[in-house]
Amino acid sequence: MVKQIKRAKAWTGDRDATHAVEAAISLVKANATAKFDESIEIAVNLGVDPRHADQQVRGVVSLPSGTGRDVRVAVIAKDAKADEARAAGAEVVGAEDLVERIQGGFMDFDRVIATPDMMALVGRLGKVLGPRGLMPNPRVGTVTPNVGQAVKDAKGGAIEFRVEKAGIVHAGIGKASFTEDALLANVRALVDALQKAKPAGAKGIYVKRISLSSTMGPGFKVDTGSISA
């Protein structure tokens, strides 16, 4: 607690003001002073009501600078597709056996990918993977016959995004060790993907507020108009 108070007292920058995205990134990096490489996170408040089916926002985006994380991928596939997944670098591959392991509590992975012919099996995992946001879905490319490419995308910086009940999308967009240009490219890629995923039912201002923060640092408000390249 004492360390947290000292860290908070050392924070710099105006947290009440709205900053250009470049300035916000610089402030977030300057305040990421923990002894580990803090994650940089974005929160985007959207003008949608996720309770309505026509205002859902969900998708996947490849961050040009990557995520800085070692993503562990599990693939539910068999035969040649299982071999393809292993060759692409998937940590865990299986069919009925993997489904049974997950049902038994195995969760040592960050992304789950499945081939279409495995969806009858995958359906059993809805109660386990659904609440964690890990359920394979064709809309975000995690149900696909091209499992090799999906594994490479997941490990190369592809992230899923999904609007929460309050209309906010949270996502990690890199590490404090990234350059400011690398973080800026990732922010722009995510916001662009959100714009393209704008649902037909959204009315009024779509991207309402954006903030950036690090794992242990303060959040800074971003001028939404400053993000366009």
Side-chain angles (χ1 to χ4, degrees):
M1 181 62 72
V2 174
K3 288 184 178 179
Q4 291 177 345
I5 294 173
K6 286 183 177 180
R7 185 180 293 114
K9 287 182 177 180
W11 286 343
T12 60
D14 189 342
R15 283 174 275 161
D16 295 319
T18 299
H19 305 272
V21 63
E22 294 88 350
I25 289 172
S26 179
L27 286 168
V28 169
K29 280 176 60 66
N31 285 282
T33 57
K35 293 182 179 180
F36 61 94
D37 193 6
E38 296 183 49
S39 293
I40 306 300
E41 300 166 357
I42 188 170
V44 184
N45 187 284
L46 300 175
V48 297
D49 186 346
R51 293 175 298 178
H52 300 294
D54 64 345
Q55 295 189 46
Q56 291 292 319
V57 180
R58 185 175 185 179
V60 63
V61 59
S62 291
L63 300 179
S65 308
T67 63
R69 294 181 59 223
D70 182 15
V71 179
R72 300 164 298 171
V73 180
V75 177
I76 301 174
K78 61 182 179 180
D79 302 329
K81 291 300 179 181
D83 293 337
E84 181 182 330
R86 293 187 186 95
E91 280 79 6
V92 186
V93 182
E96 291 89 346
D97 58 327
L98 179 53
V99 170
E100 290 176 1
R101 288 179 67 193
I102 294 172
Q103 287 178 314
F106 175 73
M107 293 296 296
D108 192 19
F109 46 78
D110 305 299
R111 185 76 56 85
V112 183
I113 296 166
T115 53
D117 61 310
M118 291 284 101
M119 288 311 292
L121 281 174
V122 174
R124 304 177 192 172
L125 302 175
K127 292 183 179 179
V128 178
L129 298 180
R132 295 175 170 82
L134 293 171
M135 190 68 178
N137 189 310
R139 290 177 56 189
V140 295
T142 48
V143 176
T144 174
N146 191 0
V147 291
Q149 188 60 51
V151 171
K152 291 176 182 177
D153 289 344
K155 288 185 165 294
I159 63 167
E160 295 181 37
F161 57 83
R162 184 176 186 177
V163 68
E164 300 170 2
K165 290 181 180 180
I168 300 174
V169 172
H170 287 100
I173 47 93
K175 295 286 188 177
S177 58
F178 282 23
T179 66
E180 293 184 14
D181 286 344
L183 290 170
L184 177 60
N186 282 355
V187 169
R188 285 176 168 162
L190 176 62
V191 174
D192 182 61
L194 289 173
Q195 291 282 11
K196 292 177 179 177
K198 181 179 179 179
K203 305 297 181 183
I205 298 174
Y206 178 54
V207 178
K208 298 171 71 175
R209 290 181 293 276
I210 297 176
S211 66
L212 293 172
S213 62
S214 63
T215 305
M216 303 295 290
F220 292 94
K221 301 173 186 176
V222 178
D223 176 6
T224 58
S226 70
I227 291 179
S228 299

